[in-house]
Amino acid sequence: MSPPPLASGPGGPAALRSLLGTVLDALEAGAAERGGPLPAGGPDAVTARVTAALGDVLPDTGDPDALRTLVQALAAGAADPADPLCAAHLHCPPLAVATAADLAASALNPSLDSWDQAPAASALETAVTRALARTARLADALVTTGGTESNQLALLLAREAHGAGVRLVHGANAHHSLPRAAWLLGLPDPVVVPAPRGTLDPAALDEALTALPGPLLVAATAGTTDAGLIDPLPEIAGRCAAHGARLHVDAAYGGGLLFSDRHRGRLAGLEAAHTVTLDLHKLGWQPVAAGLLAVSRPGELTALHQRADYLNADDDTDAGLPDLLGRSPRTSRRPDILKIAVTLRTLGRDGLGALVDQVCARARELAALIDGHPGFELYGRPVISTVLFRPAGAADDTVAAARRRLLHEGRAVLGRARLDGRLWLKVTVLNPRTRPDDLAHLLELVEGSTLG
């Protein structure tokens, strides 16, 4: 029996070409079977369908139809971020060109832990990360798996620069990964600063920085996960400078505004940060994962350096082979930079900026529809592309039940957020193909589900 074909090498493209037809047909069939933004029936029904398709996980004899069967099952049971009614989370529909590039990365399978495993990918990563860092007026950037890893790295670099006693100060609106990173790194318990109306209060921050002994790391947010709000970065940067505190900005969501001439000004003050978290699998339309941590001083990255003779022997480094172990705390890692580079070159700043402008405009249109509807209450004008609303006069239990009903029926995917002591429905517009009538239909579904 001959071995199965490989994805790369002389016969790789031909082998993939035939398999891709199977995958694309299965994706199409699965989407038709699902028939909406989410599979109907809830967790039990989805699990039953997946279990039936999977069968014996490791059979004695292989099934040549497994690719079609399981891809179709996954597609039929997916939450489709390209459906305008799937708008709960920071879960973008990836661009086709980025997804195609990701296939090439998987087929070639470079591993960015040594140059001899990824010659071209290492050169590409160096050039693209530095160019993206310059977009934020910073010096360099590392590729990460997303905001959680980037935030943890930011705290790690602060600890290495200022010692294990550095204390995190963050707003009550901060992402959960920040206090968790402090715990994982053995740092002191973070200090939480009030965030009235969802953004960090600079006056309260100033009081905290005045009262606390250093060293201190302040974490601000540019694009909260609940409401898409941006902390007052210039004021926060000024307070940090006055007190000698280090500044990190979690711009995993809002960082994409840098591509837009219209919206870039909302990130004024970002350039004052020592480290910045960016995620291009949000407002960058990349397949997961496509995170970055940008740094203001590239010398700080030496804290990540490790020596392993089989990967970066001194004599190889002296002879000119690039040393990649200081580019990530991970060892084996895929070239996620390829899909990013392809997207940047294909669309350019204007193309990406137009996508950002489109989703922000649709969010404002949705907010206007809600504000003009007597049956709904709007939380506030969207800052990026997140809109919070709730049925007027409804109890929190009613709001939560309406959301779950839509999920169970597979009709719409809405998020939830608790602000000002009340539960709100959350729509995050990340699909640039969303139309005004899609927004109106979404509100009709919510209204009907609440009344039902």
Side-chain angles (χ1 to χ4, degrees):
M1 175 177 158
S2 61
L6 301 176
S8 57
L16 279 174
R17 190 169 287 112
S18 63
L19 292 173
L20 282 177
T22 300
V23 168
L24 296 176
D25 288 345
L27 287 173
E28 191 172 35
E33 181 182 339
R34 184 181 66 246
L38 194 76
D44 290 343
V46 172
T47 299
R49 291 195 289 268
V50 170
T51 300
L54 182 60
D56 187 351
V57 175
L58 186 62
D60 290 334
T61 302
D63 176 8
D65 201 34
L67 178 64
R68 181 198 61 80
T69 301
L70 292 180
V71 170
Q72 181 171 337
L74 189 67
D80 182 7
D83 190 304
L85 301 180
C86 184
H89 302 287
L90 291 165
H91 177 201
C92 74
L95 293 166
V97 70
T99 305
D102 221 21
L103 169 64
S106 293
L108 294 168
N109 207 30
S111 181
L112 281 153
D113 47 321
S114 66
W115 183 87
D116 57 357
Q117 299 175 79
S122 62
L124 185 69
E125 185 180 79
T126 299
V128 176
T129 50
R130 288 177 180 167
L132 283 168
R134 288 195 297 271
T135 300
R137 296 173 62 184
L138 298 170
D140 201 356
L142 303 180
V143 175
T144 71
T145 55
T148 295
E149 184 186 353
S150 294
N151 286 339
Q152 184 173 342
L153 271 174
L155 267 66
L156 173 62
L157 294 178
R159 186 191 72 180
E160 294 307 294
H162 302 287
V166 66
R167 193 163 193 182
L168 173 65
V169 180
H170 66 77
N173 61 339
H175 193 262
H176 63 83
S177 62
L178 284 160
R180 183 167 65 177
W183 167 68
L184 285 169
L185 292 168
L187 301 181
D189 290 340
V191 175
V192 181
V193 175
R197 293 294 295 174
T199 57
L200 192 153
D201 179 6
L205 174 64
D206 193 74
E207 290 180 12
L209 297 180
T210 300
L212 291 168
L216 300 172
L217 168 65
V218 173
T221 305
T224 58
T225 53
D226 53 7
L229 304 179
I230 298 175
D231 287 340
L233 300 180
E235 295 177 72
I236 292 169
R239 299 300 204 281
C240 289
H243 291 279
R246 185 182 176 99
L247 175 61
H248 170 66
V249 178
D250 178 0
Y253 178 13
L257 299 179
L258 289 168
F259 296 122
S260 166
D261 291 338
R262 183 176 303 171
H263 298 291
R264 187 183 304 127
R266 297 183 184 182
L267 297 180
L270 192 70
E271 69 282 355
H274 292 80
T275 50
V276 175
T277 289
L278 303 168
D279 266 9
L280 295 181
H281 54 241
K282 295 181 173 68
L283 282 180
W285 294 277
Q286 299 299 292
V288 174
L292 295 157
L293 178 71
V295 297
S296 62
R297 294 191 291 265
E300 291 192 42
L301 298 180
T302 58
L304 300 177
H305 185 263
Q306 290 291 315
R307 178 65 62 192
D309 191 68
Y310 75 105
L311 294 174
N312 60 349
D314 288 338
D315 58 323
D316 279 348
T317 302
D318 292 342
L321 296 183
D323 181 352
L324 304 182
L325 286 189
R327 301 295 299 175
S328 174
R330 292 174 285 144
T331 304
S332 298
R333 56 188 183 91
R334 70 194 307 273
D336 287 316
I337 201 65
L338 175 61
K339 61 195 174 194
I340 297 172
V342 167
T343 300
L344 297 176
R345 288 278 294 165
T346 302
L347 273 70
R349 184 191 294 275
D350 289 347
L352 280 166
L355 296 181
V356 171
D357 294 346
Q358 182 79 355
V359 296
C360 291
R362 285 289 176 263
R364 291 195 301 271
E365 291 170 10
L366 175 60
L369 286 175
I370 294 167
D371 200 34
H373 194 300
F376 293 121
E377 178 183 354
L378 178 68
Y379 177 78
R381 181 178 174 84
V383 174
I384 307 178
S385 66
T386 299
V387 180
L388 300 184
F389 72 104
R390 50 181 285 125
D396 283 357
D397 288 349
T398 302
V399 176
R403 172 182 171 271
R404 287 192 294 269
R405 185 177 300 117
L406 290 171
L407 290 175
H408 187 84
E409 295 169 355
R411 299 171 74 192
V413 188
L414 296 172
R416 54 185 286 163
R418 184 168 293 279
L419 282 92
D420 297 343
R422 293 192 293 168
L423 185 65
W424 301 82
L425 296 173
K426 178 175 72 168
V427 175
T428 307
V429 184
L430 289 182
N431 185 349
R433 292 183 173 269
T434 299
R435 305 182 309 269
D437 58 325
D438 295 321
L439 304 176
H441 182 45
L442 182 60
L443 294 184
E444 290 170 2
L445 290 174
V446 173
E447 189 173 25
S449 184
T450 304
L451 295 175

